[in-house]
Amino acid sequence: MTTADDPLVTTDWLAAHLNDAGVKVVDATFKMPGVLPLPKDDYLAAHIPGAVFFDVDAVSDHKNPLPHMFPSAEQFGRDVGALGIGNDDTVVLYDSGGWVAAPRAWWMFLSYGHDKVRILDGGLKKWRAEGRAVEGGEVTPKPATFTAAYDARRVRSIGEMIANVASKAEQVIDARAGDRFEGRVAEPRPGLRSGHIPDSRNLPYGQLFDATTGAMKPLQELRKAFASAGVDMDKPIVTSCGSGVSAAVLTLALYRLGVRGTALYDGSWSEWGQADGPPVATGPA
């Protein structure tokens, strides 16, 4: 991984480029349903100066009953353009520092053809810990034109995931906590079964970043975490989680390790775990 192709940028880098006309800063903080205060309220209370708010639930397919599924390319382009982001801009995403939604938004931008996108390492947590400036209130950007082109290779459907259980062509890595993966606790979303996709592996996303600083762990530690989870990084990989958000933390870590061509299961356990869904497995991987 070199500086040129590392999707992460440091707080020092962002501070130096914060006022660049072609750099657009985006707060993509996300929380589980029912957790207060709402991410948008946190944003209004304090965000990096000039940052707009990317609502993962709003920039989604509203015709699909599943949470925050990928929208059409037309909708993504329209929603992102409304945030003042154009195709020539460099997008810098961050979240509260818990490594949940910024990687999801990053993967969405890549999936819709925009490769000039980065993530602030450590997010708002690290930014504020260093005493850097924040501001409150809403940022009202000047709308821009953003043309999106969807790359379906980066995303998996439930049909493809069911077929993969039989073919085992792709390794499935689940980012949920171990007790959820093993089916020892109830899912936070009502009505879902407990367990995991058969033959999948478990690597809780929280193991990939430093909880104290909010920064992603060094590459050597990331590599060790995937190896400990039984992942062969030379073979195809699909990431999964509860609803397709924290799975992107694994996707990001793999990308930083030089792994390309991975995919994300958009519906994740919110889809697979439904009462009438495909077979589930329980216990350790």
Side-chain angles (χ1 to χ4, degrees), residues 43-60:
Y43 162 82
L44 292 172
H47 56 260
I48 294 175
V52 295
F53 185 71
F54 183 99
D55 188 333
V56 173
D57 286 319
V59 187
S60 67

Side-chain angles (χ1 to χ4, degrees), residues 161 164 170-176 181 196-205 207-208 222 225-242 244 246-254 257 259 262-265 268-269 285:
M161 297 299 291
N164 187 66
E170 296 179 311
Q171 302 167 95
V172 180
I173 317 174
D174 192 320
R176 292 176 299 156
F181 177 85
H196 58 265
I197 297 171
D199 297 315
S200 58
R201 297 159 176 80
N202 184 216
L203 177 50
Y205 75 93
Q207 295 183 13
L208 302 180
L222 298 181
F226 281 100
S228 297
V231 178
D232 184 343
M233 289 189 289
D234 292 325
K235 295 181 179 179
I237 294 171
V238 177
T239 60
S240 182
C241 60
S246 60
V249 181
L250 306 187
T251 305
L252 172 66
L254 288 164
L257 291 169
V259 179
T262 67
L264 182 146
Y265 175 26
S268 284
W269 200 251

Side-chain angles (χ1 to χ4, degrees), residues 81-153:
L83 295 177
I85 299 169
N87 292 96
D88 293 331
D89 291 323
T90 294
V91 178
V92 180
L93 300 153
Y94 73 87
D95 53 35
S96 60
W99 285 107
V100 179
R104 163 74 180 203
W106 163 78
W107 194 245
M108 290 181 76
F109 273 95
L110 289 179
S111 298
Y112 291 100
H114 191 76
D115 60 0
K116 290 192 291 185
V117 57
R118 299 291 186 268
I119 298 173
L120 178 63
D121 193 16
L124 187 62
K125 180 176 184 175
K126 189 170 187 293
W127 181 269
R128 298 192 75 171
E130 294 169 350
R132 301 183 189 272
V134 295
E135 65 181 12
E138 186 93 51
V139 172
T140 305
K142 179 182 178 181
T145 299
F146 187 97
T147 302
Y150 179 59
D151 181 359
R153 295 172 299 179

Side-chain angles (χ1 to χ4, degrees), residues 10-26:
T10 65
T11 49
D12 284 341
W13 185 95
L14 182 57
H17 295 275
L18 194 58
N19 296 316
D20 291 5
V23 173
K24 302 300 172 68
V25 184
V26 180

